[in-house]
Amino acid sequence: MKPKPTTQYIHLTLLFLAASVCLAAAAPKNQESAEEIYERAMTVFKIDPEAAMSLFQKSAKLGHTESMLRIGHCFETGTGTASNPKTAVQWYKKSVEAGNPAALVQIGSLYESDNKKFPPDYAEAIDWYEQAVTNTASLKACAGLARIYAACPDPAFHNGPKALLYATVLAKKEPDNPESFDLLAAAYMRNLEFANALKAASKAILLSPLDEAADRRARRETYENGVPFPAVATDEWIQEAAELQSMWAMLKLADAYNDPLAERHNPELARLWYEKAAENGDLQAQVQLGTMCYHGIGGDVNFEKAFWCFSEAAQADVAEAYAPLARMYVGGKGVRSDFKLAKEWYQRAVDAGEKNGIQNEFSAIRQLDKLQDAPTADALYEAGRLLEKNGDAKADGTKMTYSMLTSRIYSYYWVAAELGSTDAMRAVTEMHFYGPRYFVREGLLDKKSGGLAVNYAKALEWYEELARKGIHLPEYARAKEGHLQELAARRAKYQKTGRK
């Protein structure tokens, strides 16, 4: 027979049960909610971002979307943790999946930015920005879309109409923001509306703080020349812009057609577009057009036009025109031969730093300028032949160095060639083609002995000049191949090092 519980036992049992119920009821009240943890984390964040990260993560595990967004921001900016854009995107996406559309624009921004750890992906950026515009009407996302379609570095993503759509909305929503009108101007340029681009750029200048106005004025000046921002564009845009008189596009088109390594190499079209740009006053185009007219590239030889082009550019202090103009005075092409003026223009070219490729020519003119009478082409050629045959002795009986002999012979031949001697043209051609092997074609000479260096570009010029006179030499094909190989090698070096 069990003993009956005493009154005291019953009271103790009831007290224990009551305490257990109270403790059970009090437990949820003492446990922090995700929002409370987040608020505490934000307080800690102001003092110690690194310590706050664990609290944000704790809140995020409880489903707090703002904590997820904050963690993404920390990884994006490297605040309280190491910078990691990929991890930032993952947290932003978690926030979106948990129902926070505010992270959409952050994801788009990361995909748009050019970060070494996270290369840009404009297709992804466009997708996330479009979601942000649809779900939140975000002006930041609207600006991002306008920026990509109008001004991203990859022209494959440029789209004038779409850029203008988003930039127009932005300008209406933010009528006092100069950056909105920057985008509107860029969008108008990409949409080939140059006049409207200038108006929008002017509006941006008016809205600018003083310290930003100068940069905006400079950009407006580039728009006046038909240059988009940034200065990259598709071939289709360049073609259309050139037809609308964009100076930048005309030159880009001409340069593309003038590139012998390009598939679209077309000297006739290159000359056409250089001429259009030159007629509109572009000095660099005048130099290029003068070169093509001088050498008969993309059309007939036209010395008169070449002389006009070089003269106009040289008088405007374009250094690249000095040496070509001097050369015209040497040969009397398009103008009367005048060694004195040739020497002056060569000197200006040297003084301006244009030394590449003109040292031998300048040296020749300085030597022959001392002569009392103007020499004839035939007399100069014969003087060169005589020197080549037996003229290695100086007046005092000592022999000239190989370098000195080569320079003297070249001087006679080159001026004779410029004055029209075909025999001299052939000699100059071969001196450039064979270089140090000119005198000993079948053997090898020590490069330290001097002499001209091989120059396929100059050799090719003279081969083509001879061809126009009906003289075709077998080395022409090898000179052309060598020239193209040199061009390709220089271009590869430039692309690798960023230097010409």
Side-chain angles (χ1 to χ4, degrees):
M1 183 174 177
K2 290 182 179 182
K4 292 183 180 181
T6 63
T7 302
Q8 185 179 6
Y9 176 81
I10 293 172
H11 284 165
L12 288 172
T13 302
L14 289 173
L15 284 171
F16 176 77
L17 290 173
S20 299
V21 170
C22 289
L23 287 172
K29 291 182 181 178
N30 293 333
Q31 183 178 348
E32 284 185 301
S33 67
E35 179 64 25
E36 288 171 333
I37 297 172
Y38 172 73
E39 290 177 357
R40 186 156 61 91
M42 288 300 293
T43 301
V44 173
F45 183 79
K46 296 175 183 178
I47 304 169
D48 188 348
E50 187 174 351
M53 279 293 287
S54 61
L55 293 172
F56 285 133
Q57 289 173 336
K58 184 177 179 181
S59 177
K61 286 181 181 179
L62 296 174
H64 195 267
T65 61
E66 286 297 323
S67 294
M68 298 174 193
L69 189 65
R70 176 61 61 173
I71 294 170
H73 174 75
C74 289
F75 277 111
E76 180 182 354
T77 60
T79 305
T81 185
S83 174
N84 192 325
K86 290 183 180 179
T87 304
V89 166
Q90 292 172 0
W91 278 103
Y92 286 145
K93 288 181 178 179
K94 286 180 181 179
S95 183
V96 170
E97 291 166 1
N100 186 3
L104 291 167
V105 70
Q106 299 300 122
I107 301 172
S109 178
L110 263 175
Y111 277 116
E112 183 193 359
S113 63
D114 189 1
N115 188 306
K116 291 181 180 179
K117 298 179 181 178
F118 198 74
D121 186 331
Y122 297 116
E124 280 285 337
I126 288 170
D127 180 50
W128 290 100
Y129 278 147
E130 286 180 343
Q131 291 185 56
V133 168
T134 301
N135 288 280
T136 67
S138 167
L139 290 181
K140 287 185 178 180
C142 190
L145 289 167
R147 193 165 46 244
I148 292 173
Y149 287 130
C152 80
D154 187 347
F157 289 91
H158 292 167
N159 187 312
K162 286 186 177 181
L164 196 54
L165 170 67
Y166 290 110
T168 301
V169 170
L170 199 64
K172 287 181 178 179
K173 294 286 186 180
E174 299 180 333
D176 297 323
N177 186 351
E179 293 181 3
S180 297
F181 285 91
D182 287 338
L183 286 175
L184 185 60
Y188 274 127
M189 285 298 296
R190 204 60 70 181
N191 206 45
L192 297 165
E193 297 182 43
F194 299 151
N196 285 332
L198 292 175
K199 291 178 182 177
S202 297
K203 179 72 172 178
I205 294 169
L206 290 174
L207 294 171
S208 291
L210 288 177
D211 59 340
E212 296 177 7
D215 288 341
R216 288 193 167 95
R217 278 193 290 270
R219 187 179 299 181
R220 189 186 185 283
E221 288 178 9
T222 66
Y223 289 159
E224 288 176 348
N225 288 321
V227 185
F229 179 81
V232 292
T234 61
D235 291 341
E236 293 78 12
W237 190 95
I238 291 172
Q239 179 71 48
E240 290 185 55
E243 292 168 359
L244 292 171
Q245 304 301 303
S246 161
M247 187 67 72
W248 178 82
M250 284 191 274
L251 290 173
K252 292 287 284 187
L253 201 56
D255 289 344
Y257 285 130
N258 197 36
D259 182 358
L261 298 178
E263 291 183 9
R264 64 193 299 193
H265 181 221
N266 188 321
E268 290 77 14
L269 286 176
R271 183 162 168 171
L272 170 68
W273 284 108
Y274 280 134
E275 188 156 16
K276 286 180 180 293
E279 288 171 353
N280 281 276
D282 187 85
L283 297 172
Q284 293 297 330
Q286 287 176 0
V287 175
Q288 293 290 348
L289 178 61
T291 301
M292 299 189 90
C293 289
Y294 184 94
H295 294 292
I297 301 170
D300 295 333
V301 170
N302 188 332
F303 290 135
E304 288 72 21
K305 192 159 196 173
F307 181 76
W308 176 84
C309 287
F310 294 141
S311 295
E312 289 290 307
Q315 294 298 337
D317 293 327
V318 178
E320 293 92 329
Y322 297 160
L325 182 60
R327 184 177 182 181
M328 298 201 78
Y329 277 115
V330 174
K333 295 171 182 174
V335 67
R336 179 178 58 84
S337 179
D338 189 325
F339 283 9
K340 183 178 180 180
L341 284 175
K343 182 180 175 182
E344 289 178 4
W345 283 109
Y346 272 128
Q347 185 65 62
R348 289 187 65 173
V350 170
D351 293 342
E354 296 292 316
K355 298 178 182 180
N356 187 32
I358 67 171
Q359 296 95 328
N360 292 320
E361 286 80 356
F362 188 27
S363 176
I365 290 303
R366 282 184 296 181
Q367 290 181 41
L368 298 181
D369 185 43
K370 299 174 184 178
L371 299 178
Q372 295 295 325
D373 300 321
T376 65
D378 290 341
L380 287 169
Y381 174 68
E382 289 303 323
R385 289 287 294 166
L386 184 63
L387 192 59
E388 184 175 341
K389 182 178 179 181
N390 56 11
D392 59 346
K394 293 191 288 187
D396 60 3
T398 60
K399 287 190 174 183
M400 295 183 186
T401 63
Y402 178 60
S403 179
M404 186 184 298
L405 178 63
T406 303
S407 175
R408 185 71 59 82
I409 292 170
Y410 181 81
S411 296
Y412 287 130
Y413 283 160
W414 176 71
V415 177
E418 291 291 341
L419 291 170
S421 168
T422 54
D423 288 330
M425 289 179 193
R426 181 165 185 165
V428 169
T429 305
E430 291 175 343
M431 290 186 82
H432 284 305
F433 181 79
Y434 289 105
R437 295 196 302 115
Y438 172 73
F439 293 106
V440 189
R441 308 292 172 83
E442 302 305 322
L444 292 174
L445 286 176
D446 183 355
K447 289 185 177 180
K448 294 180 181 178
S449 62
L452 293 183
V454 172
N455 190 323
Y456 290 124
K458 285 187 176 291
L460 193 59
E461 282 183 13
W462 287 107
Y463 278 129
E464 290 174 344
E465 178 68 19
L466 287 166
R468 282 192 290 271
K469 294 181 178 297
I471 302 171
H472 300 278
L473 301 177
E475 296 91 348
Y476 171 79
R478 288 168 57 195
K480 187 172 184 178
E481 181 183 357
H483 174 54
L484 293 176
Q485 288 175 350
E486 286 177 342
L487 279 179
R490 281 201 300 270
R491 184 165 301 176
K493 183 178 180 180
Y494 171 70
Q495 291 173 344
K496 183 177 181 181
T497 64
R499 286 189 268 176
K500 293 183 180 179

